[in-house]
Amino acid sequence: MYHWCTDEVEPHDRFDYWREVRAKGLFGVTAELERDRRADFYGEFSLRQVGGGGLVELKASHYTVERSTSDIAYAPGDSICVYQQLGSGGWFGGMHSSDFAIANGSFATSHTDLPYRTAPLGAGGFHLRILKIPANSIPAQDRRVRELEPKTFNDNALVPLLSACFADLGEAGADDGASHATSLVQTLAHLALIERGIMRPGSRRGQAALRIARLSQARRLIARHLQDPDLAPTVVADLLSISVRHLHMLFETAAKSFSQTVTDERLKQSRRLMREAPERLIADVAAACGFESLATYYRVFNAAYGMAPGDFRAQTSEGH
């Protein structure tokens, strides 16, 4: 993970440094801001290489961005970008197609080597996540991949799947393994190609992307409803608008079944709660994680970790 912010530069040099070293040198864009507003400029970003792609989170006060033909010639990227707009939203323009606005929480896709202009909407400035996926790493080699002008992700059926995969990728750690992150990056690329009509959802790769994305969404729904002791496949299937049979088929391709995933997530959540609030009663922790009884919690915890919850909490306290 590489993180940088303008606090590392003297105030009067911050925007100039951001424009020349960060915007042009790192992102290959031209940044502009009125001279009388530069003294108050602030910007920060993080960059992480994950699953064969580059994941960026950027926050900055208001300025305008252009990726011109000369910028593209200076720093060609040949990648697909998936943008998640956060904060006050943004505006894109300067393409052959019409300008558009993108709201908080929404997504857009584009190829890096097409001109555009963008600016944040409102006074909040920029806040967005960007996943950059090299075009040569995408198995579906189609000339239309390099013709993707910036456009919002408008398929309402696909947006929740994209959101789940993006969130999983942002949370992926070293313990998840490189293959998991690579699978998520490829899935995001293929969802973008499905949305733009380049990949058929019924194709082999399209079906695989939809299956992985729905599994991500199912896992996130499980995590969101852990406190419910009656959490069952029917609950998650209804939320996903799929059949219970389809839900179980999704988990057949995963390392753990639906019920194993629920139990595993409950155990991990209980460990987090005991670390964060060591004074909390173990019975309260078990109930907060959806275990039907304290006896069940002790039995499942001991089977998974070879110790009682109280012993785990004592070890954690000693570690501090």
Side-chain angles (χ1 to χ4, degrees):
M1 170 79 77
Y2 176 67
H3 180 267
W4 186 87
C5 79
T6 48
D7 288 349
E8 298 179 25
V9 181
E10 291 296 324
H12 62 277
D13 291 329
R14 284 175 181 171
F15 183 76
D16 288 340
Y17 187 91
W18 181 272
R19 180 180 59 185
E20 298 303 323
V21 179
R22 300 305 170 190
K24 187 172 290 293
L26 190 61
F27 300 114
V29 298
T30 298
E32 293 297 342
L33 181 64
E34 295 89 342
R35 190 164 295 279
D36 60 354
R37 298 174 62 185
R38 294 182 183 181
D40 298 322
F41 176 78
Y42 174 82
E44 66 172 313
F45 70 89
S46 61
L47 170 63
R48 182 159 62 104
Q49 297 298 322
V50 56
L55 186 61
V56 173
E57 180 159 357
L58 183 146
K59 297 179 183 178
S61 51
H62 195 287
Y63 68 103
T64 59
V65 172
E66 180 177 8
R67 182 140 166 86
S68 65
T69 53
S70 60
D71 289 325
I72 293 165
Y74 172 76
D78 194 24
S79 299
I80 286 180
C81 283
V82 181
Y83 308 86
Q84 183 181 25
Q85 185 69 51
L86 303 169
S88 57
W91 167 87
F92 276 85
M95 300 82 65
H96 295 302
S97 56
S98 58
D99 299 357
F100 66 87
I102 176 169
N104 178 31
S106 297
F107 294 87
T109 53
S110 73
H111 188 270
T112 53
D113 296 347
L114 293 171
Y116 67 86
R117 288 179 288 116
T118 185
L121 294 172
F126 283 106
H127 185 191
L128 65 158
R129 296 190 186 103
I130 309 164
L131 175 63
K132 185 180 288 189
I133 310 160
N136 61 13
S137 73
I138 300 169
Q141 290 303 313
D142 187 305
R143 63 177 179 78
R144 291 175 293 172
V145 169
R146 292 176 170 84
E147 298 171 0
L148 293 178
E149 291 187 338
K151 185 180 177 183
T152 52
F153 210 100
N154 293 321
D155 189 324
N156 291 332
L158 294 179
V159 167
L161 302 179
L162 192 79
S163 182
C165 290
F166 219 96
D168 278 358
L169 187 65
E171 295 170 7
D175 294 341
D176 295 302
S179 62
H180 177 62
T182 300
S183 175
L184 287 170
V185 169
Q186 288 295 312
T187 295
L188 285 161
H190 291 163
L191 290 176
L193 297 184
I194 289 171
E195 204 271 344
R196 299 295 283 268
I198 295 174
M199 180 177 287
R200 291 184 299 106
S203 67
R204 181 175 58 84
R205 290 193 179 102
Q207 287 181 329
L210 291 170
R211 182 174 62 250
I212 291 167
R214 288 190 180 113
L215 184 59
S216 273
Q217 192 181 15
R219 286 172 171 153
R220 299 194 76 79
L221 287 169
I222 287 170
R224 201 179 303 160
H225 293 83
L226 281 180
Q227 192 171 358
D228 180 4
D230 298 320
L231 179 61
T234 51
V235 175
V236 176
D238 286 346
L239 290 168
L240 287 172
S241 299
I242 62 175
S243 68
V244 172
R245 181 174 176 275
H246 189 176
L247 180 70
H248 283 304
M249 287 174 63
L250 292 178
F251 280 90
E252 282 177 7
T253 63
K256 296 177 182 176
S257 68
F258 177 89
S259 60
Q260 288 171 331
T261 301
V262 171
T263 300
D264 189 52
E265 288 297 320
R266 282 177 169 156
L267 287 171
K268 287 194 290 187
Q269 173 72 351
S270 75
R271 285 164 49 131
R272 281 193 294 269
L273 292 179
M274 283 191 285
R275 282 194 294 263
E276 293 167 4
E279 74 289 346
R280 190 169 182 177
L281 292 174
I282 290 177
D284 288 344
V285 170
C289 297
F291 286 97
E292 59 186 20
S293 70
L294 186 58
T296 299
Y297 177 51
Y298 268 83
R299 175 175 55 78
V300 172
F301 194 100
N302 190 67
Y305 304 118
M307 67 177 75
D311 295 332
F312 168 80
R313 185 163 62 181
Q315 280 187 5
T316 304
S317 299
E318 289 169 6
H320 288 298

